[in-house]
Amino acid sequence: MDKLAIACIAKNEGKYIKEWIEYHKLVGVDKIYLYDNDSTDDMKCIIKPYSDSGYVKYHRIHGKQKQYLAYNKALFSYRFQSEFIAFIDCDEFLVPVENQNNLYEIIERLLKNPSRGGVAINWCMYGSSGFQSRPKGLVIENFLYRGKLDGRGNACVKSVVNPRKVLFFHHAHYPIYFPTFYAVNEFGEKTRGWKNEHYNWTHLRLNHYFTKSKEEWIERRSLGKADCKGNRPIEQFYEHDNNDVYDDIMLKYAETLKINGKIDTE
């Protein structure tokens, strides 16, 4: 059984997917269950070495608004193959703040209580860092300005779960647990729903590169949303383009990825 896996739905993430995969390998993720939602770019080709090795379990999923379907397929297919599964997107990076190289140990400690079914990890929302167009290099080395701790969106969570304690997903941010099981935040306190107000990014956080550059946001708008109808309006870029705090927590990982020759930064 794998210790820690990620389940995600992805569309046209070819420009970013290798960095995202290599980063999560670095922090201790053992497997990725990737559901390709009708991509038209070169993402499948880029991840082929990972799917050939078995690190990425690649699936196709067709149609619009398929996030819940992808999450539940992963949950039902792999609930006995992974101890824990994180259900996140490809613009979200799981960050083990407390133990910089072992995400699993933090999750395991928080879920040691048998009544706990999952960990609700708060977003840490990053802005454009002033970039109008896509810069060369890695996402995690270019976008170094985020919103304030209590900034817009940071109370939202995504879930890392014990899949054997989850009934199903009906929301992108949290599942329905079997009776008697519940989720906790980074401090081990019980949480409910998509929002957790008590966080300090002490142990865990989920870096969310929601906007990237303005050019990339405009390109992303055309893809639509994975969980509901409609495209993202340009107003959302300005609402979430918060660059209040310089935060270089990810630079150490960027340097490691480049030194190891894992990522072409051109």
Side-chain angles (χ1 to χ4, degrees), residues 85-141:
I85 304 178
F87 291 82
I88 64 173
D89 294 332
C90 292
D91 60 354
E92 299 169 341
F93 290 66
L94 289 160
V95 182
V97 179
E98 175 188 359
N99 185 342
Q100 297 177 0
N101 294 312
N102 202 318
L103 183 62
Y104 169 79
E105 288 183 0
I106 305 172
I107 301 296
E108 182 189 36
R109 187 187 71 240
L110 285 167
L111 295 184
K112 191 161 288 186
N113 182 321
S115 295
R116 297 177 180 181
V119 181
I121 303 180
N122 282 78
W123 273 347
C124 179
M125 299 287 286
Y126 278 73
S128 70
S129 290
F131 288 108
Q132 292 296 303
S133 57
R134 183 191 176 201
K136 291 183 179 180
L138 303 178
V139 169
I140 61 175
E141 71 176 339

Side-chain angles (χ1 to χ4, degrees), residues 1-8 28-35 54-57 59 73-87 104 107 111 117 160-166:
M1 178 181 285
D2 295 311
K3 289 182 176 181
L4 178 62
I6 290 175
C8 66
V29 172
D30 299 309
K31 191 80 69 180
I32 294 174
Y33 308 122
L34 189 149
Y35 291 79
Y55 184 77
V56 171
K57 295 290 187 182
H59 304 271
K73 279 181 174 289
L75 177 68
F76 301 147
S77 297
Y78 300 111
R79 70 161 85 235
F80 296 106
Q81 296 186 34
S82 296
E83 186 177 354
F84 305 124
I85 304 178
F87 291 82
Y104 169 79
I107 301 296
L111 295 184
V160 182
V161 306
N162 178 332
R164 293 161 300 286
K165 297 179 179 180
V166 172

Side-chain angles (χ1 to χ4, degrees), residues 11-216:
K11 182 171 184 175
N12 291 351
E13 292 284 347
K15 296 176 182 177
Y16 313 105
I17 194 71
K18 186 175 181 181
E19 174 187 352
W20 185 81
I21 291 172
E22 288 290 349
Y23 166 79
H24 283 103
K25 285 180 72 176
L26 199 60
V27 296
V29 172
D30 299 309
K31 191 80 69 180
I32 294 174
Y33 308 122
L34 189 149
Y35 291 79
D36 183 347
N37 188 202
D38 295 326
S39 293
T40 57
D41 66 355
D42 58 352
M43 183 177 72
K44 185 179 180 182
C45 180
I46 291 170
I47 68 169
K48 190 175 186 300
Y50 303 104
S51 55
D52 285 350
S53 71
Y55 184 77
V56 171
K57 295 290 187 182
Y58 177 87
H59 304 271
R60 287 189 178 277
I61 192 165
H62 301 291
K64 297 181 179 180
Q65 304 164 54
K66 298 298 182 182
Q67 188 165 25
Y68 306 150
L69 177 61
Y71 279 13
N72 285 314
K73 279 181 174 289
L75 177 68
F76 301 147
S77 297
Y78 300 111
R79 70 161 85 235
F80 296 106
Q81 296 186 34
S82 296
E83 186 177 354
F84 305 124
I85 304 178
F87 291 82
I88 64 173
D89 294 332
C90 292
D91 60 354
E92 299 169 341
F93 290 66
L94 289 160
V95 182
V97 179
E98 175 188 359
N99 185 342
Q100 297 177 0
N101 294 312
N102 202 318
L103 183 62
Y104 169 79
E105 288 183 0
I106 305 172
I107 301 296
E108 182 189 36
R109 187 187 71 240
L110 285 167
L111 295 184
K112 191 161 288 186
N113 182 321
S115 295
R116 297 177 180 181
V119 181
I121 303 180
N122 282 78
W123 273 347
C124 179
M125 299 287 286
Y126 278 73
S128 70
S129 290
F131 288 108
Q132 292 296 303
S133 57
R134 183 191 176 201
K136 291 183 179 180
L138 303 178
V139 169
I140 61 175
E141 71 176 339
N142 286 322
F143 299 102
L144 299 176
Y145 285 86
R146 60 168 173 80
K148 295 178 289 187
L149 181 65
D150 61 351
R152 186 184 185 96
N154 289 334
C156 293
V157 302
K158 283 291 188 71
S159 299
V160 182
V161 306
N162 178 332
R164 293 161 300 286
K165 297 179 179 180
V166 172
L167 185 59
F168 66 92
F169 275 86
H170 78 147
H171 195 287
H173 294 262
Y174 69 98
I176 299 297
Y177 293 93
F178 283 109
T180 76
F181 300 121
Y182 56 87
V184 296
N185 63 15
E186 64 172 328
F187 303 113
E189 302 164 336
K190 188 180 291 189
T191 66
R192 289 186 173 85
W194 58 271
K195 199 172 185 179
N196 168 54
E197 299 283 3
H198 185 203
Y199 63 94
N200 198 34
W201 301 323
T202 301
H203 307 292
L204 291 165
R205 73 191 208 188
L206 189 63
N207 280 14
H208 192 186
Y209 299 93
F210 185 66
T211 63
K212 299 188 180 75
S213 67
K214 187 175 182 181
E215 174 187 78
E216 290 165 287

